[in-house]
Amino acid sequence: MNFWQRMQQMDRRWVYLMVGISVIFPFILPITLPVSITPEAQMLYDHIEALPDSSTVMLVFDYYPSTIAECEPMTIAAARHFFEKDCRVITLSNIPLGGPTMAEQVTRTVAEQYGKEYGVDYVNLGYKANYVAVLSGMGQSIESIFPTDNSGTPLDELPLMDSVVNYEQIDFIFEVADNATADYWVSIVNAGYGVPIGCGTTAVSAPKYYAFVDAGQFVGLLGGMKGAAEYEQLIEQEGDAMVGMGAQSLVHLLIIALVIVGNLGFFVGGIGRRKGAK
Amino acid sequence: MKTTVPIIVAFLAGVALVLAFFFDQRTLIGSLSQELRVWLSIVGGFTLLLGVVSITRVNYAAVKQRKEGWFFKLITLVSIFVMAVPALLPSSWSSLFGRQEGSIYDWLFLYMDAPMMATMFATLAFYIASAAYRAFRARSPESTLLLVTATVIMLWRVPMGEWFLDQLPGDIPFFLNTYIMNGINMAVQRGIIIGAALGAASMSLRIILGIERTYMGKG
């Protein structure tokens, strides 16, 4: 058995070990590298930057805790950008498993950094079941769908919601999703009510949404942790995504190296086997 | 009766919501559709409850009969109620109840639920690496094309890979974004999106007209 044939039969635990080391190493010795900005991320940033100060925006937490590493840096960066521009932020989620809690945690933490007050500068509407009904219902009245906020306070007791009835008072929506809810924000809210929407999504979902950006239905797109890192770089506030880029870089390079080695083994080892057979 | 009533409800609700697109929200049909959406949201809430009842019944039966893996099912049951019950109790009774910061629910979510879900998702990286090493082979022209495209896109999506691509002649990142992501990828994705939308529209029409009855457990 030659080297390539042995490589073909390498125990998968060695692969797991290499992946583990590649993930852990950059967190022990951080590798911070500049990321290039894609046009889609730049478009999103430019749109938010062009919003008038004190605009009312929605920040939607449509992701599960499983994709927190990719999606949360996007929501944190967006919340920072919104609060920096003195925007009034309304958060909500169409995800029952942890969506409202993540919204609460992110906005509260960022709001404290900017000295923002709950009920005046930001509100967490929480979760309501059946996102198609929720998205279309808010077009007529947000209060009819969310009579109270996430902690049970009636909306009419929250000063921010005094002037917000439906989508007509919303200047921009930033949807961060790891599932198909982003499609419904396009088909119901953008197409039906003309509200500009930006999207942040996982790297695996991002290719689908280039079509929506091209059609103007999304004003911009952040794809995966790289997209989040681009946005952190645009707002000049380094966060978890920039730190995570080191680990992601090494793992991507490792996978590419494994694919090359695997293919070399496949061809060279295969030729060796055929020669051996003769 | 069991079939006719759901079909009539589906037909009336479906037609009202379709017609509402063509009417002002202040009209009777507009306000009716808004009311239906609120109902829809409430019904959606009950489906969550149904899920809890169903998972409790199935797991309770397995634990009671000491079926294989009963201990894990017991953990599932305990987890559901330990997480749900304190969250449903009013926070006015104790700061540990409800879902606010510092509550039992909040603590369990932040320090157990979220890390466990993220860990489960992260283990995919190990399997993907192993699978890529064993199965991603240039066996045919099509698979070679996929392999080369995937490799350069993976390189482009990380700073170290970008740096490497920048050392090569030509603006490869620009090419990848313009011709692969916004060209070939987008054309294919549009086809899939349009196909799925047409499928969803025809399925909706079948349900509204009572042709599709599988949602009632009938063929």
Side-chain angles (χ1 to χ4, degrees), chain B residues 78-153:
Chain B
V78 172
S79 305
I80 289 170
F81 290 99
V82 166
M83 192 102 180
V85 174
L88 292 171
L89 295 173
S91 54
S92 54
W93 290 6
S94 164
S95 61
L96 294 175
F97 298 152
R99 286 170 294 146
Q100 77 284 357
E101 209 176 347
S103 62
I104 292 172
Y105 171 87
D106 187 60
W107 194 90
L108 288 172
F109 175 78
L110 287 179
Y111 301 112
M112 291 191 78
D113 196 21
M116 283 194 293
M117 285 187 78
T119 304
M120 287 295 290
F121 196 64
T123 51
L124 276 179
F126 294 88
Y127 295 123
I128 287 170
S130 173
Y133 179 60
R134 283 163 193 285
F136 212 6
R137 298 280 186 266
R139 292 174 201 272
S140 64
E142 291 87 350
S143 61
T144 309
L145 198 62
L146 181 67
L147 194 147
V148 172
T149 311
T151 305
V152 285
I153 293 290

Side-chain angles (χ1 to χ4, degrees), chain A residues 99-149:
Chain A
T101 310
M102 290 187 285
E104 189 82 23
Q105 198 201 4
V106 167
T107 40
R108 209 171 275 280
T109 310
V110 179
E112 275 173 17
Q113 292 164 4
Y114 287 86
K116 300 293 179 184
E117 190 185 339
Y118 185 80
V120 178
D121 302 303
Y122 69 101
V123 162
N124 182 11
L125 294 180
Y127 163 80
K128 277 284 177 295
N130 205 324
Y131 50 81
V132 174
V134 170
L135 302 193
S136 45
M138 287 197 296
Q140 193 175 346
S141 163
I142 292 173
E143 198 173 5
S144 70
I145 302 293
F146 292 96
T148 64
D149 72 353

Side-chain angles (χ1 to χ4, degrees), chain A residues 7 10 36 144 214 223 263, chain B residues 34 133-134 138 157 162 190:
Chain A
M7 285 298 287
M10 183 171 65
S36 68
S144 70
D214 186 65
N263 275 279
Chain B
Q34 182 69 6
Y133 179 60
R134 283 163 193 285
R157 293 301 295 176
E162 257 185 338
R190 276 197 173 136

Side-chain angles (χ1 to χ4, degrees), chain B residues 14 17 38 46 50 69 93 114 133 172 187 189 191-192 201 206:
Chain B
L17 286 165
V38 176
F46 277 101
L50 194 67
W93 290 6
Y133 179 60
I172 297 176
Q189 294 292 349
I192 295 169
R206 283 171 63 87

Side-chain angles (χ1 to χ4, degrees), chain A residues 4 7-8 256-266, chain B residues 133 137:
Chain A
W4 294 110
M7 285 298 287
Q8 287 289 288
I256 290 166
L258 286 172
V259 167
I260 292 169
V261 171
N263 275 279
L264 278 174
F266 177 66
Chain B
Y133 179 60
R137 298 280 186 266

